[in-house]
Amino acid sequence: MFYTSGWVHVICGCMFCGKTDEMLRLLRRFSIAGRQVILVKPRLDTRTAEATVVSRSGAQHPAVSVDQSRQIEALVSEADIIAIEEGQFFDEGLPEVVERLADAGKQVVVTGLDRDFRGIPFGPMPRLMALADQVTKLTAICMVCGEQATRTQRLIDGQPARADSPLIMVGGMGDESYEARCRLHHEVPSSDAVG
Ligand SMILES: [Zn+2]
C-alpha cells in the first residue's frame, strides 16, 4: 500500500457512503508507518469545527482549512501524505494542484461527492477522478428500498428538492435534509413541476 513515488487516490460516492471514515482509516495506517500526514479541507465546510475533520462514526483528525486550492501547496511541503476532504467544494484549480503534488512524489488522497443532489458531476470531482491513479467509489444504502445507493437525495420540508432549489438554504425557507437513494428512488422534480 505504501508507494515511493507520487500517487493520487480519489475516494468518492454519495452522502453517507463512508468516504471520510475510509480516508481516516488510510491516514491512521500512514501515521503508523511514520509518514507525515496533513489533512486539508475547504473553509466553507462548517459541518465540523474548523480545525478537525469528524466522520459520521466519530473518527476524527486535525485539519487545516483553506479558501482556495492554490493555497494547498504552500502548506504541505513537509508532508508525505496530503489528504483533501470535500473535494467537490474546491475551485477548478484543484486537479492541477493534486497533479503537481503527485509529480513531486506526494501521496494524495481526495474525498468528495461525485454528484450533486441533482445527480450532476460535482465541481472538480470528474476531472480528479479521471487523473487519479486509483478511484474508490463507495455506495450507501437507499433509505427507501435498502438497495445500494449511489445518489444523494435532497429533501426540503420532507419533499424532493427541485433541480433549481437554492444551493444554500436561508433560515425560514424550509427544513433541508439529505438521504442516500438508489437510481430508482432518486427524485429531482423539474423546475416547472407543480407542487
Ligand atoms: Zn431505492
Side-chain angles (χ1 to χ4, degrees), residues 142 145 182 185:
C142 177
C145 70
C182 70
H185 292 120

Side-chain angles (χ1 to χ4, degrees), residues 142-147 181-185:
C142 177
M143 294 305 287
V144 176
C145 70
E147 294 288 327
R181 297 276 183 100
C182 70
R183 183 182 291 269
L184 181 64
H185 292 120

Side-chain angles (χ1 to χ4, degrees), residues 114-193:
D114 50 352
R115 300 162 181 267
D116 65 18
F117 75 95
R118 300 166 296 177
I120 294 171
F122 207 150
M125 292 302 292
R127 287 173 59 233
L128 278 166
M129 291 165 71
L131 65 80
D133 299 291
Q134 181 180 2
V135 176
T136 300
K137 194 157 175 170
L138 300 173
T139 60
I141 297 297
C142 177
M143 294 305 287
V144 176
C145 70
E147 294 288 327
Q148 287 199 95
T150 58
R151 317 286 172 111
T152 300
Q153 179 69 52
R154 186 187 202 194
L155 299 167
I156 297 174
D157 291 333
Q159 297 301 312
R162 293 179 183 190
D164 64 350
S165 58
L167 276 176
I168 295 169
M169 297 286 289
V170 181
M173 293 181 72
D175 282 329
E176 182 187 29
S177 60
Y178 292 89
E179 289 182 354
R181 297 276 183 100
C182 70
R183 183 182 291 269
L184 181 64
H185 292 120
H186 182 243
E187 293 179 75
V188 187
S190 61
S191 53
D192 53 5

Side-chain angles (χ1 to χ4, degrees), residues 41-137:
K41 64 176 192 170
R43 196 179 302 277
L44 55 79
D45 174 21
T46 55
R47 187 177 69 195
T48 55
E50 174 137 329
T52 310
V53 164
V54 182
S55 76
R56 295 181 197 282
S57 75
Q60 53 183 283
H61 194 283
V64 180
S65 298
V66 299
D67 293 309
Q68 289 183 304
S69 63
R70 60 186 165 80
Q71 297 173 278
I72 294 173
E73 284 165 289
L75 289 171
V76 300
S77 55
E78 302 295 308
D80 309 303
I81 316 297
I82 295 119
I84 301 170
E85 173 82 345
E86 305 275 20
Q88 77 278 0
F89 289 137
F90 275 96
D91 52 89
E92 289 294 334
L94 185 62
E96 283 66 39
V97 169
V98 165
E99 192 82 322
R100 282 197 296 274
L101 291 170
D103 286 347
K106 309 285 191 187
Q107 309 284 310
V108 188
V109 182
V110 185
T111 65
L113 294 167
D114 50 352
R115 300 162 181 267
D116 65 18
F117 75 95
R118 300 166 296 177
I120 294 171
F122 207 150
M125 292 302 292
R127 287 173 59 233
L128 278 166
M129 291 165 71
L131 65 80
D133 299 291
Q134 181 180 2
V135 176
T136 300
K137 194 157 175 170

